[in-house]
Amino acid sequence: MSKYTIVTLDEVESTNAYALEFMTSFADRTVITAEKQTNGRGRYNRKWIGGKSSNLYTTIVLKPQNIQNYPFPNLTQYLSVVLCRVFENDYDITPSIKWPNDILVNGCKISGILAETCVKNNKIGGIALGLGVNVNLEKETIEKIDQKATSMFLIRNKNYNTDELLKKICDAFFENYDEFTIKGFGYIKDEYIKRCGFLGKKITIREENRQYFAKAIDADGLLLVNDDFGKESKIITGDVLC
């Protein structure tokens, strides 16, 4: 298993923003986590804030050697599969994936992922792969979130140690990371698709504000959809509203 280093910060606005700002200071496979995050963000600027006892805020710094063949588009999908494995194998929680990388339990979001690249002088200096997990959030706090959400506490009615969760995620991530970088999406395709509960159903793509039939996930991890007239399209990026 590949080695990694965990750096714990007392307080930070965003672990991803911190990683991007100080990217040159961190070695490959450095994991940045924070006791408190005050301005964390996910896709579409969704907020991930609060204390470490209630949420897990983490950014994995990656500095791949072979940039040309690195599977950048599928990195968040790989992490989504890893998170699902951890929930299932270690916490008896059954998740699903909402394309491309949100983790849901019973239709409610429990985890989000955001990957950002550090580019200087037209060269990629590294990747900030961020993840947030609702761990011990209680009902009163969950109800203030502007989308359907849940937490490990609400699902299992018990508190969890976020340090232990972080270690399980990192161990699982790096256990097969090298193989994933070589094989790309094909390495996780079957496992990823198995967890996509929205396939075969009507969905809405938020950016287009129109409905499609979610047909399949292709070999590159893109979402294949049909419109009401049967015309097939590939969705490269977007937010699926189930």
Side-chain angles (χ1 to χ4, degrees), residues 84-163:
C84 286
R85 291 173 181 169
V86 171
F87 283 134
E88 292 165 349
N89 298 334
D90 297 296
Y91 297 98
D92 194 28
I93 291 173
T94 303
S96 63
I97 296 173
K98 180 167 76 71
W99 186 89
N101 53 49
D102 281 348
I103 309 299
L104 311 181
V105 177
N106 298 323
C108 300
K109 186 172 178 178
I110 192 172
S111 178
I113 299 169
L114 176 66
E116 299 176 285
T117 55
C118 177
V119 180
K120 291 185 178 180
N121 299 321
N122 294 319
K123 293 184 179 180
I124 295 177
I127 306 165
L129 178 60
L131 66 108
V133 180
N134 294 332
V135 184
N136 296 316
L137 290 182
E138 298 184 356
K139 184 178 179 180
E140 293 77 13
T141 305
I142 287 288
E143 289 176 343
K144 296 176 183 178
I145 298 175
D146 62 356
Q147 58 181 311
K148 292 175 64 177
T150 189
S151 68
M152 295 173 67
F153 170 79
L154 289 179
I155 296 166
R156 285 285 169 257
N157 194 31
K158 60 182 290 188
N159 284 294
Y160 293 94
N161 184 298
T162 52
D163 289 326

Side-chain angles (χ1 to χ4, degrees), residues 3-157:
K3 293 182 179 180
Y4 57 87
T5 301
I6 295 178
V7 175
T8 302
L9 306 173
D10 290 333
E11 182 176 322
V12 68
E13 285 193 2
S14 160
T15 57
N16 256 35
Y18 187 89
L20 292 170
E21 183 177 358
F22 300 104
M23 182 64 71
T24 56
S25 302
F26 296 115
D28 181 34
R29 307 183 192 214
T30 298
V31 179
I32 302 168
T33 189
E35 296 290 346
K36 185 178 181 180
Q37 182 169 258
T38 59
N39 193 30
R41 67 194 189 284
R43 297 174 71 236
Y44 303 99
N45 289 316
R46 290 167 177 148
K47 299 299 182 182
W48 288 86
I49 58 176
K52 191 179 178 186
S53 62
S54 57
N55 277 355
L56 178 65
Y57 315 102
T58 295
T59 295
I60 302 172
V61 173
L62 299 170
K63 296 186 174 182
Q65 298 288 320
N66 187 0
I67 294 292
Q68 185 173 359
N69 296 317
Y70 191 82
F72 284 103
N74 308 116
L75 183 59
T76 61
Q77 292 172 310
Y78 170 70
L79 179 53
S80 70
V81 169
V82 168
L83 287 171
C84 286
R85 291 173 181 169
V86 171
F87 283 134
E88 292 165 349
N89 298 334
D90 297 296
Y91 297 98
D92 194 28
I93 291 173
T94 303
S96 63
I97 296 173
K98 180 167 76 71
W99 186 89
N101 53 49
D102 281 348
I103 309 299
L104 311 181
V105 177
N106 298 323
C108 300
K109 186 172 178 178
I110 192 172
S111 178
I113 299 169
L114 176 66
E116 299 176 285
T117 55
C118 177
V119 180
K120 291 185 178 180
N121 299 321
N122 294 319
K123 293 184 179 180
I124 295 177
I127 306 165
L129 178 60
L131 66 108
V133 180
N134 294 332
V135 184
N136 296 316
L137 290 182
E138 298 184 356
K139 184 178 179 180
E140 293 77 13
T141 305
I142 287 288
E143 289 176 343
K144 296 176 183 178
I145 298 175
D146 62 356
Q147 58 181 311
K148 292 175 64 177
T150 189
S151 68
M152 295 173 67
F153 170 79
L154 289 179
I155 296 166
R156 285 285 169 257
N157 194 31

Side-chain angles (χ1 to χ4, degrees), residues 172-196:
F173 180 88
F174 286 111
E175 181 176 8
N176 303 114
Y177 171 71
D178 290 328
E179 191 167 2
F180 161 72
T181 61
I182 295 171
K183 297 181 179 178
F185 184 69
Y187 178 65
I188 58 166
K189 180 181 177 182
D190 291 344
E191 195 172 352
Y192 180 88
I193 291 174
K194 180 179 70 175
R195 294 186 171 94
C196 289

